[in-house]
Amino acid sequence: MGHVQLHINDSGQISGNTILPGYESTAVRWTGSNPEFLPPPIIAGYTYRSDATDINTGGQVAGTCYERIAVRWTGTNVEVLSGLAQGITSGTFAYGINNKGQVAGFLMSGNRAVAVRWTGIVPEILDSLPYTTGRVWCQAWNI
């Protein structure tokens, strides 16, 4: 068993991942020394995997499930943050969450990574620097 990507809030709660024997990475929130496993959304055709990337003071956790679906956990309830679910992108990734529950991350669109902020479940695309050719990579990591 291993633990990776630990983040702590002002209340002392910790979010991160644990790897159990025979399983993929699983998102976890610790309150004190008590772990609480955070389930991924149930989506047909995907194997169990979740990664917690940040936690706010209220204990909400941002993360990514199945290596390409951005989510927010409130308690053990999981919300899919839109992008991939509507077929707009090839992946959404959540990296930060503030005390308002807004999530920062990015979505993949073609060969571009586009920085976004989710307030609710709808992404707000953040402006990036102008470009002329090649691959564009713009990510939001914290909020």
Side-chain angles (χ1 to χ4, degrees), residues 70-102:
V71 296
R72 174 180 40 235
W73 286 277
T74 302
T76 56
N77 295 320
V78 62
E79 287 179 288
V80 173
L81 303 177
S82 70
L84 181 64
Q86 281 71 33
I88 297 170
T89 70
S90 58
T92 55
F93 305 86
Y95 288 108
I97 187 166
N98 67 16
N99 290 332
K100 295 179 182 178
Q102 296 173 309

Side-chain angles (χ1 to χ4, degrees), residues 19-77:
I19 301 170
L20 301 171
Y23 291 92
E24 300 261 355
S25 175
T26 303
V28 179
R29 176 180 38 240
W30 285 269
T31 301
S33 61
N34 300 317
E36 178 179 28
F37 293 98
L38 302 174
I42 297 171
I43 299 175
Y46 288 93
T47 59
Y48 192 90
R49 182 185 173 103
S50 57
D51 297 301
T53 53
D54 200 14
I55 187 168
N56 68 15
T57 300
Q60 289 180 300
V61 174
T64 302
C65 292
Y66 311 115
E67 299 180 347
R68 64 184 189 129
I69 300 172
V71 296
R72 174 180 40 235
W73 286 277
T74 302
T76 56
N77 295 320

